[in-house]
Amino acid sequence: EVSDFDLAAIYVSDAQYNRNIHFDTSAQAVRLYLLYNHWLPKVLLYFFILVDLSLAIFEDPAVVPLPTWATMLVELLCLLVFTIRLVHYAKVIPRDKFWKDPKNICIIAILLTLIDMIIYGALKATDYYAVRWSRVLRPLLLVNVTEGRQLRRAFRSIRNALPEIFYVFLLFMFSVLIFSLMALKLLGKRGLKTTDGSPYFTDYLEIVFDLYVLVTTANSPDVMMPAYNSSFLFTLFFILYIFINTYIFMSAFLAVVFNNYKKYLKEEVRQLVRAKRHKMVRAFAVLQESREEGRGPVVTHANWNQVVRLVQPSISNPHRELLWNVCDDKNQGFIGKLAFVQLADLLNIEVITLKSRPHPLQSLCPAFYLSGPSRLLCRLVQHRGFVIVYDLIILVNAVFIGLDEENPMIANSEWVFLALYLFRNTLLGQQRQSVFLNTSSCPVVAGGYTSRQILDIVFILRVLRLIRVVDSIGRFRTIINTLIRIGPAILTFGQLILVIYYVFAMVGMELFKGKNNFNNIASSFILLVELTVVNQCSGFATVTHMSARIFFVLFHILVVIVIINIFVSFVLEAFYVEY
Amino acid sequence: EVSDFDLAAIYVSDAQYNRNIHFDTSAQAVRLYLLYNHWLPKVLLYFFILVDLSLAIFEDPAVVPLPTWATMLVELLCLLVFTIRLVHYAKVIPRDKFWKDPKNICIIAILLTLIDMIIYGALKATDYYAVRWSRVLRPLLLVNVTEGRQLRRAFRSIRNALPEIFYVFLLFMFSVLIFSLMALKLLGKRGLKTTDGSPYFTDYLEIVFDLYVLVTTANSPDVMMPAYNSSFLFTLFFILYIFINTYIFMSAFLAVVFNNYKKYLKEEVRQLVRAKRHKMVRAFAVLQESREEGRGPVVTHANWNQVVRLVQPSISNPHRELLWNVCDDKNQGFIGKLAFVQLADLLNIEVITLKSRPHPLQSLCPAFYLSGPSRLLCRLVQHRGFVIVYDLIILVNAVFIGLDEENPMIANSEWVFLALYLFRNTLLGQQRQSVFLNTSSCPVVAGGYTSRQILDIVFILRVLRLIRVVDSIGRFRTIINTLIRIGPAILTFGQLILVIYYVFAMVGMELFKGKNNFNNIASSFILLVELTVVNQCSGFATVTHMSARIFFVLFHILVVIVIINIFVSFVLEAFYVEY
Ligand code: NA
């Protein structure tokens, strides 16, 4: 039998972490669900996903070659782990819910991978040519494991923006096609030559591709040069083209994504709040005790305590009492539904307990510490000016780090800075930084070359503390706070980019084996980063033809037009909220 | 004496065109003000501004060289025209207002230009080296003529965004400096060499500049190559750098500009509405007739008519009656203040009078036109399907234009399309398009090469009609409408860019005489376009040192960080309003 407290604790915990699993409430299913949410199987799952994804490093074309049987064996192990996790999930939720869950694309992915491995093994054994096509399915696991909520949300927001993006894209392509037609008619018959002597702007499809790439400004001066040299007026044609297609249409893409993002974000937030409330209401229903006629049911302090202890065993007694006092502000000994529902949010608030740590001297030699000159020093050290002086010292140190170290005076100045930092720490009674000082001063004594570099890094870490100086200025704090708020979302975007890069790298390595820098997974990733940042397709697209161009255009649409615009929308919204 | 009607008409006209000149209400000043707002002096002023700006084409370094005395003489003439305009302005507004008007920076600009011309002439006469430094002041005239309201508003919005941009920029530079320091420490001592054999990342200031340029992705693969080749791990350093500085900080700049733009735009619109209302209230005060005790003053239909006739003499009688009926919706024969105030907005609404033009045949040969088969044909032509068929014909024509014309079948197909268009126009009784048909069919008969190109252009113009096809699809119409709304603002941005390019071209030509492609005003403009679009500074900045770098960085900040972001904000806001 499941106790009411266990069940209530699970609902509260699900609300706290925004979990959306409709688990079975039978005793066995609840026990399995608790195990399912345990950190160990989750970490294991992520570990095996990582192993599965990184198999690409060892598979042909490999960075570190391993025999096929070894990678296949590891992959089988990974598949086994994923299957166990899925079976576990199937036992947790009701049978009918399981088959409708879209997350279970995983099952298809696992089956397809198995089939592919068998075919590949058979073909390899009989020395035929074989392709491991199921490798593009691997990132699906990253998206569809039950923990990838944020990532799935990101994919949903892409899917929601797609129709709007598609309409603008059609107009954009229409504009590119019209301009290509004009270019063909204006420039095609003038007998112009490109720098390598081939005819210039004579083939319609070539022009369309060249002008598409011009939108990314990757081939910018080269593609226009023959026209420039022919007549000054053609520059106007290209300026008009770049203005309309690079500036107006790319801004239009951002605008459409941004509008969609705002609209969709609101809906997401609303749904999250609704789901959270729903779970808390269910927890309340389990715990409630009815009162006399006409007055709503309540939860007593004792029951509340027991649930909170189950949900978060690590919480301290004073912290729990603090939370109770917030809920039961009238000090009645029980709380109603409204007060109970806010518990999930209260648990997410971090309570910082400030302890005032006395200076070591105060306990070692109180007479000296409390003497007149010592007290004056204390007041000096706690003065704002002292902080400012040390911020200035860090600044000067930063400048010295940038200066030429061959100069002995500058090399010796590092000792002065070390002494100054040591002095400050002694005054403040801090021990934390002295660890740094030890690691940094030892290498200087050793005098080796690599230890010098360690010293450099330690100094750089100290320079990073300049961020604290910057943060103390009010105007900068808003900006820095906003940038910090962006932090967690960046992890999601990182996963998103990883998924898309992985798929494109897999396809790219099959399509352009050894060509176009698709030599192995590492160089493929670097190439894709290059494509994202500078759209440096110029060298890339000329080697192989049609397939490389389609590959480039698809990658550009997906990464530059969709994902980067979603990221920019996210930053825009974060700044809008903060101001 | 100024009649009340004249005065009221001036107030209404000022409200209608959002003019903000606090003119004197004396008889002479009002007459001068009417002349001041006449289109002829305005066009003349713009013409002389254009002449003044385009003097750069003929001055050393010249595209088309002219003797110095000739350009100086023309410039003197321009200055004379500007002075006359300023004197005229001074006579229109009260003396004390004139000296406080910030627009009168023009006076200083004119005086400085005169001084510069005298110095330059004297130095040239005695064969000394001289610089025409006052040429950078010329665009000031474009900004500060009283008609440049939109442009001044754009500059104000830049000035308003600057403090916020500045704080983000400081943080951004801080990040660049920190990363440069790390790059120096991580890479400087490894003895790496760039492709041309010089030491790699050993000088701090060089690194700072290289990394700044990396933000624009202009030197992207080259600057990272030595580090790539040394160790795979350094790629992570650069990816982190590009991520933080290109993606996060560039988005932050956009976010700050966008927020500022929205905030400021609202304030601007509020002020415009307030000023407009204020002028209309003054016009009402001039025209009002008091009624019996306790009821507010009114304007009679006759007075209203006279004022509207003065404000807009071109307005037709039915149009004016329509406007009156809108104002006087209770048909009282007079209107109150509230109804009068909306007149300025009503006058700005375009009333389209649709005239049904009969088919020529209807008057030439009515018996035939009204016969049974002819009527059937009329119904067919007016059917939606007929329009769709002709849209498809245009589409097929567009494809044929793109195909190879050497093929005689395709060349002859143009005749078929011409015949089809002619047939349609005959059916619809349109004459407009036949002009096109004439210009396009004649060259074919002549058969010359340039006439063939004219034919091509005519066909392209016909292909542009495909936009109409696209516009008829609802989903596209919103997007196209938004893009069209952006239209007028683009002119303002064009002027803004022109002002900034002009100043940078002038400074660039003095600093890098004949170097870095600053050969004359035309090549300078092309170079600046290149800098804007691709940040192709790589070849540019290496020739001359520090000055070229500062030039590049300043240009990048002003154009890419400020102006392009304002443009993107504008597009974002336009799309937000439309959706
Ligand atoms: Na670029």
Side-chain angles (χ1 to χ4, degrees):
Chain A
E1 267 304 289
V2 200
S3 84
D4 283 353
F5 292 116
D6 283 332
L7 203 58
I10 290 170
Y11 284 134
V12 172
S13 171
D14 279 7
Q16 189 189 354
Y17 297 111
N18 290 320
R19 278 194 287 260
N20 260 330
I21 300 172
H22 297 277
F23 60 93
D24 206 358
T25 47
S26 70
Q28 197 208 359
V30 167
R31 258 194 302 279
L32 280 171
Y33 186 57
L34 283 173
L35 181 65
Y36 189 81
N37 286 332
H38 195 269
W39 64 268
L40 188 65
K42 276 190 198 171
V43 169
L44 272 179
L45 182 72
Y46 272 108
F47 173 75
F48 278 101
I49 287 175
L50 211 65
V51 169
D52 194 29
L53 288 179
S54 52
L55 279 178
I57 300 171
F58 309 103
E59 287 165 340
D60 187 50
V63 184
V64 183
L66 277 186
T68 311
W69 61 262
T71 58
M72 297 265 272
L73 216 62
V74 174
E75 187 154 17
L76 271 179
L77 181 66
C78 291
L79 290 183
L80 185 70
V81 171
F82 302 149
T83 312
I84 292 172
R85 181 79 177 165
L86 269 174
V87 169
H88 191 165
Y89 182 65
K91 296 247 175 240
V92 166
I93 67 170
R95 186 69 38 103
D96 57 319
K97 283 252 167 62
F98 179 76
W99 293 115
K100 283 182 200 150
D101 199 325
K103 283 168 217 150
N104 293 316
I105 300 171
C106 282
I107 300 175
I108 300 165
I110 290 171
L111 286 177
L112 284 175
T113 308
L114 273 175
I115 293 168
D116 180 36
M117 283 168 76
I118 293 165
I119 295 173
Y120 184 82
L123 284 172
K124 275 282 157 183
T126 51
D127 271 336
Y128 277 97
Y129 176 75
V131 175
R132 274 301 314 277
W133 49 264
S134 70
R135 300 199 294 171
V136 298
L137 298 174
R138 283 178 191 161
L140 266 183
L141 298 168
L142 191 58
V143 181
N144 278 300
V145 288
T146 4
E147 282 67 37
R149 268 181 295 277
Q150 300 287 340
L151 191 56
R152 279 202 300 280
R153 198 172 300 151
F155 267 100
R156 268 205 302 278
S157 88
I158 289 176
R159 204 185 52 202
N160 279 289
L162 276 187
E164 294 283 354
I165 293 174
F166 179 69
Y167 287 112
V168 179
F169 187 77
L170 280 185
L171 273 185
F172 163 70
M173 276 318 294
F174 176 72
S175 153
V176 171
L177 289 174
I178 293 273
F179 269 100
S180 301
L181 203 54
M182 288 191 203
L184 178 68
K185 294 291 153 179
L186 286 174
L187 294 161
K189 299 226 194 65
R190 294 178 179 259
L192 301 178
K193 301 275 173 218
T194 58
T195 39
D196 58 340
S198 52
Y200 178 69
F201 272 15
T202 52
D203 181 61
Y204 186 59
L205 288 179
E206 289 276 335
I207 298 173
V208 171
F209 182 71
D210 280 346
L211 288 188
Y212 186 93
V213 175
L214 183 58
V215 171
T216 72
T217 73
N219 58 358
S220 176
D222 311 336
V223 78
M224 300 186 260
M225 270 310 148
Y228 276 11
N229 298 336
S230 161
S231 163
F232 180 73
L233 280 176
F234 291 129
T235 55
L236 292 181
F237 173 80
F238 284 109
I239 288 174
L240 187 71
Y241 177 82
I242 288 175
F243 179 72
I244 291 180
N245 292 287
T246 303
Y247 290 109
I248 297 190
F249 268 105
M250 291 300 134
S251 306
F253 281 122
L254 177 60
V256 165
V257 171
F258 183 52
N259 280 338
N260 223 287
Y261 179 82
K262 280 196 293 188
K263 204 172 68 186
Y264 189 65
L265 187 80
K266 275 180 203 152
E267 190 46 43
E268 279 274 348
V269 169
R270 221 175 283 143
Q271 272 181 18
L272 266 181
V273 169
R274 217 181 294 136
K276 185 175 263 181
R277 214 190 115 79
H278 186 68
K279 278 173 219 135
M280 290 309 290
V281 168
R282 290 180 87 170
F284 183 78
V286 170
L287 294 176
Q288 69 184 32
E289 284 167 25
S290 51
R291 285 189 292 169
E292 59 266 45
E293 194 75 23
R295 301 180 69 185
V298 292
V299 170
T300 62
H301 190 180
N303 288 353
W304 188 89
N305 260 348
Q306 199 159 347
V307 166
V308 172
R309 249 189 247 115
L310 279 171
V311 172
Q312 218 151 311
S314 62
I315 208 164
S316 69
N317 284 338
H319 186 176
R320 204 177 53 241
E321 282 309 307
L322 178 71
L323 293 183
W324 174 257
N325 286 331
V326 171
C327 292
D328 180 23
D329 51 353
K330 286 180 203 138
N331 230 340
Q332 296 174 300
F334 54 80
I335 52 173
K337 204 188 214 169
L338 267 178
F340 184 80
V341 162
Q342 59 178 321
L343 175 62
D345 293 322
L346 281 177
L347 286 173
N348 275 336
I349 294 169
E350 265 186 60
V351 173
I352 298 161
T353 44
L354 287 172
K355 281 179 201 151
S356 64
R357 198 160 53 89
H359 194 281
L361 264 184
Q362 199 171 354
S363 46
L364 285 173
C365 183
F368 175 73
Y369 186 78
L370 295 169
S371 68
S374 168
R375 280 184 172 193
L376 183 69
L377 200 62
C378 277
R379 274 227 294 285
L380 269 178
V381 166
Q382 277 150 17
H383 192 265
R384 242 196 111 202
F386 186 78
V387 178
I388 291 172
V389 165
Y390 263 89
D391 287 343
L392 282 176
I393 289 172
I394 293 173
L395 204 67
V396 173
N397 194 350
V399 172
F400 270 61
I401 292 171
L403 291 175
D404 183 22
E405 291 174 11
E406 305 304 310
N407 189 328
M409 205 200 77
I410 289 165
N412 290 329
S413 73
E414 289 172 359
W415 286 101
V416 178
F417 286 113
L418 281 178
L420 282 170
Y421 294 132
L422 202 60
F423 176 67
R424 194 255 314 257
N425 292 352
T426 318
L427 284 182
L428 292 175
Q430 286 177 351
Q431 257 118 48
R432 195 156 38 91
Q433 183 139 19
S434 53
V435 182
F436 267 118
L437 285 171
N438 289 339
T439 54
S440 66
S441 46
C442 291
V444 175
V445 180
Y449 177 79
T450 31
S451 48
R452 164 134 235 141
Q453 283 209 317
I454 294 167
L455 177 62
D456 290 341
I457 292 165
V458 170
F459 270 115
I460 286 166
L461 287 175
R462 189 166 297 132
V463 170
L464 281 181
R465 298 186 55 215
L466 277 174
I467 294 172
R468 195 176 54 75
V469 182
V470 173
D471 193 46
S472 67
I473 301 164
R475 298 304 294 248
F476 292 131
R477 205 180 296 134
T478 359
I479 303 168
I480 291 178
N481 279 349
T482 314
L483 294 179
I484 288 169
R485 279 163 61 102
I486 296 170
I490 284 172
L491 284 178
T492 310
F493 277 101
Q495 289 180 317
L496 197 66
I497 286 279
L498 184 72
V499 166
I500 285 165
Y501 276 19
Y502 200 89
V503 172
F504 272 94
M506 288 298 146
V507 174
M509 285 196 295
E510 283 306 332
L511 281 178
F512 321 112
K513 272 182 196 287
K515 275 173 286 184
N516 282 337
N517 283 323
F518 278 106
N519 306 314
N520 56 48
I521 187 87
S523 62
S524 301
F525 265 66
I526 291 180
L527 181 77
L528 293 176
V529 170
E530 278 292 301
L531 279 183
T532 310
V533 175
V534 254
N535 322 111
Q536 210 65 13
C537 68
S538 36
F540 159 72
T542 45
V543 184
T544 47
H545 265 159
M546 221 44 199
S547 60
R549 292 184 169 189
I550 293 171
F551 186 87
F552 169 74
V553 170
L554 276 182
F555 185 80
H556 179 259
I557 293 171
L558 207 58
V559 174
V560 178
I561 293 184
V562 180
I563 293 181
I564 290 184
N565 277 337
I566 287 184
F567 180 72
V568 174
S569 302
F570 176 76
V571 175
L572 285 180
E573 188 64 21
F575 267 88
Y576 182 70
V577 170
E578 189 74 26
Y579 272 91
Chain B
E1 267 305 287
V2 199
S3 85
D4 283 352
F5 292 116
D6 282 332
L7 202 57
I10 290 170
Y11 284 133
V12 173
S13 172
D14 279 6
Q16 189 188 354
Y17 297 111
N18 291 319
R19 278 194 287 259
N20 261 330
I21 301 173
H22 297 278
F23 60 92
D24 204 359
T25 46
S26 71
Q28 197 208 1
V30 167
R31 257 194 303 280
L32 280 172
Y33 185 57
L34 283 173
L35 182 64
Y36 189 81
N37 286 330
H38 194 269
W39 63 269
L40 188 66
K42 277 189 196 171
V43 169
L44 271 179
L45 181 71
Y46 271 109
F47 172 74
F48 277 101
I49 288 174
L50 211 67
V51 167
D52 194 30
L53 289 178
S54 52
L55 278 178
I57 300 170
F58 309 103
E59 287 166 340
D60 188 50
V63 184
V64 183
L66 277 185
T68 311
W69 62 263
T71 58
M72 298 264 272
L73 216 61
V74 174
E75 187 155 15
L76 271 179
L77 180 66
C78 292
L79 290 183
L80 185 68
V81 171
F82 303 149
T83 313
I84 292 172
R85 181 77 178 167
L86 270 173
V87 169
H88 190 165
Y89 183 65
K91 295 245 173 239
V92 166
I93 66 170
R95 186 66 39 102
D96 57 320
K97 283 253 167 60
F98 180 76
W99 293 115
K100 284 180 200 152
D101 199 325
K103 283 169 217 149
N104 293 318
I105 302 172
C106 282
I107 299 173
I108 300 165
I110 290 171
L111 286 178
L112 283 175
T113 307
L114 273 176
I115 293 168
D116 179 38
M117 282 168 78
I118 293 164
I119 296 173
Y120 183 81
L123 283 172
K124 275 283 159 183
T126 50
D127 271 334
Y128 275 98
Y129 176 77
V131 174
R132 273 301 314 275
W133 49 265
S134 69
R135 299 199 295 170
V136 298
L137 298 175
R138 282 178 193 163
L140 266 183
L141 297 168
L142 192 57
V143 182
N144 278 301
V145 287
T146 4
E147 282 67 35
R149 267 182 296 276
Q150 300 288 340
L151 192 55
R152 279 201 300 278
R153 197 172 300 151
F155 267 99
R156 269 204 303 276
S157 88
I158 289 177
R159 204 185 52 202
N160 279 289
L162 276 187
E164 294 284 353
I165 293 174
F166 180 69
Y167 287 112
V168 179
F169 187 76
L170 281 185
L171 273 185
F172 163 71
M173 277 317 294
F174 176 72
S175 152
V176 170
L177 290 175
I178 292 273
F179 269 99
S180 301
L181 202 54
M182 289 191 199
L184 177 69
K185 293 292 154 178
L186 286 173
L187 293 162
K189 298 226 196 63
R190 296 179 176 258
L192 300 177
K193 300 275 173 218
T194 58
T195 38
D196 59 338
S198 51
Y200 178 68
F201 271 13
T202 51
D203 181 60
Y204 187 60
L205 286 180
E206 290 274 334
I207 298 173
V208 172
F209 182 71
D210 280 346
L211 287 187
Y212 186 92
V213 174
L214 183 58
V215 170
T216 71
T217 73
N219 57 358
S220 175
D222 310 336
V223 78
M224 301 186 256
M225 271 308 148
Y228 276 9
N229 297 336
S230 161
S231 163
F232 180 73
L233 281 176
F234 291 129
T235 55
L236 292 181
F237 173 80
F238 283 110
I239 288 174
L240 187 71
Y241 176 82
I242 287 175
F243 180 72
I244 291 180
N245 293 288
T246 303
Y247 290 111
I248 297 190
F249 269 106
M250 290 300 134
S251 304
F253 280 123
L254 177 61
V256 164
V257 171
F258 184 51
N259 280 337
N260 222 288
Y261 179 83
K262 281 198 290 188
K263 204 171 69 186
Y264 189 65
L265 187 79
K266 278 181 202 148
E267 190 46 44
E268 279 273 350
V269 169
R270 220 174 285 142
Q271 273 181 18
L272 264 182
V273 170
R274 216 181 297 134
K276 185 175 263 182
R277 216 191 112 80
H278 185 69
K279 277 173 220 135
M280 289 309 290
V281 167
R282 291 180 86 169
F284 183 79
V286 170
L287 293 176
Q288 69 184 31
E289 284 167 24
S290 53
R291 285 189 293 169
E292 60 266 47
E293 194 77 22
R295 302 178 69 184
V298 292
V299 169
T300 62
H301 189 180
N303 287 354
W304 187 90
N305 259 349
Q306 199 158 349
V307 166
V308 173
R309 245 187 250 119
L310 279 172
V311 172
Q312 216 149 312
S314 63
I315 209 164
S316 68
N317 282 339
H319 187 177
R320 204 177 54 239
E321 281 311 305
L322 178 73
L323 293 182
W324 173 257
N325 287 331
V326 171
C327 292
D328 180 22
D329 52 352
K330 286 180 201 138
N331 230 338
Q332 295 175 301
F334 54 83
I335 51 174
K337 205 189 212 170
L338 266 179
F340 184 81
V341 162
Q342 59 178 321
L343 174 62
D345 292 321
L346 281 177
L347 285 173
N348 275 336
I349 294 170
E350 263 186 60
V351 173
I352 297 162
T353 43
L354 286 171
K355 279 182 201 153
S356 63
R357 197 160 55 89
H359 194 281
L361 261 184
Q362 200 171 356
S363 46
L364 285 174
C365 183
F368 174 73
Y369 186 77
L370 296 170
S371 68
S374 167
R375 281 184 170 190
L376 182 72
L377 200 64
C378 276
R379 273 225 295 284
L380 270 178
V381 166
Q382 276 150 19
H383 192 264
R384 241 196 112 203
F386 186 77
V387 177
I388 292 172
V389 165
Y390 263 90
D391 287 344
L392 282 177
I393 289 172
I394 293 172
L395 204 67
V396 173
N397 193 352
V399 173
F400 271 59
I401 292 170
L403 292 175
D404 182 23
E405 291 175 10
E406 305 304 308
N407 188 325
M409 206 200 76
I410 290 165
N412 288 329
S413 73
E414 289 174 358
W415 286 100
V416 178
F417 286 113
L418 280 178
L420 283 169
Y421 294 132
L422 201 61
F423 176 67
R424 194 257 314 260
N425 292 353
T426 316
L427 284 181
L428 293 174
Q430 285 176 351
Q431 258 118 46
R432 194 157 37 92
Q433 183 138 18
S434 55
V435 181
F436 268 117
L437 285 172
N438 289 338
T439 54
S440 65
S441 47
C442 291
V444 176
V445 180
Y449 176 79
T450 30
S451 48
R452 163 134 234 142
Q453 283 209 317
I454 295 168
L455 178 63
D456 291 338
I457 292 165
V458 170
F459 271 114
I460 287 166
L461 287 176
R462 189 166 295 132
V463 170
L464 280 181
R465 298 186 56 214
L466 277 173
I467 294 172
R468 195 175 55 76
V469 181
V470 173
D471 193 45
S472 67
I473 301 164
R475 298 305 294 248
F476 293 132
R477 205 179 297 135
T478 359
I479 304 168
I480 291 178
N481 279 349
T482 315
L483 294 179
I484 288 169
R485 278 164 61 104
I486 296 170
I490 284 172
L491 284 178
T492 310
F493 276 100
Q495 289 180 317
L496 197 66
I497 286 279
L498 183 72
V499 166
I500 286 165
Y501 276 18
Y502 200 89
V503 171
F504 272 93
M506 288 299 147
V507 174
M509 286 196 296
E510 282 307 332
L511 280 178
F512 321 112
K513 271 185 198 287
K515 275 176 286 184
N516 281 337
N517 283 324
F518 278 106
N519 305 315
N520 55 48
I521 187 85
S523 62
S524 302
F525 265 65
I526 291 179
L527 180 77
L528 293 175
V529 170
E530 278 293 300
L531 280 182
T532 310
V533 176
V534 255
N535 322 114
Q536 209 66 15
C537 68
S538 37
F540 158 71
T542 45
V543 184
T544 47
H545 267 160
M546 221 45 198
S547 58
R549 292 184 169 189
I550 293 171
F551 186 86
F552 170 72
V553 170
L554 275 182
F555 186 79
H556 180 258
I557 294 170
L558 207 59
V559 174
V560 178
I561 294 183
V562 180
I563 292 181
I564 289 184
N565 276 337
I566 287 184
F567 181 71
V568 174
S569 302
F570 176 76
V571 175
L572 285 181
E573 187 65 19
F575 267 87
Y576 182 71
V577 170
E578 190 74 26
Y579 272 91

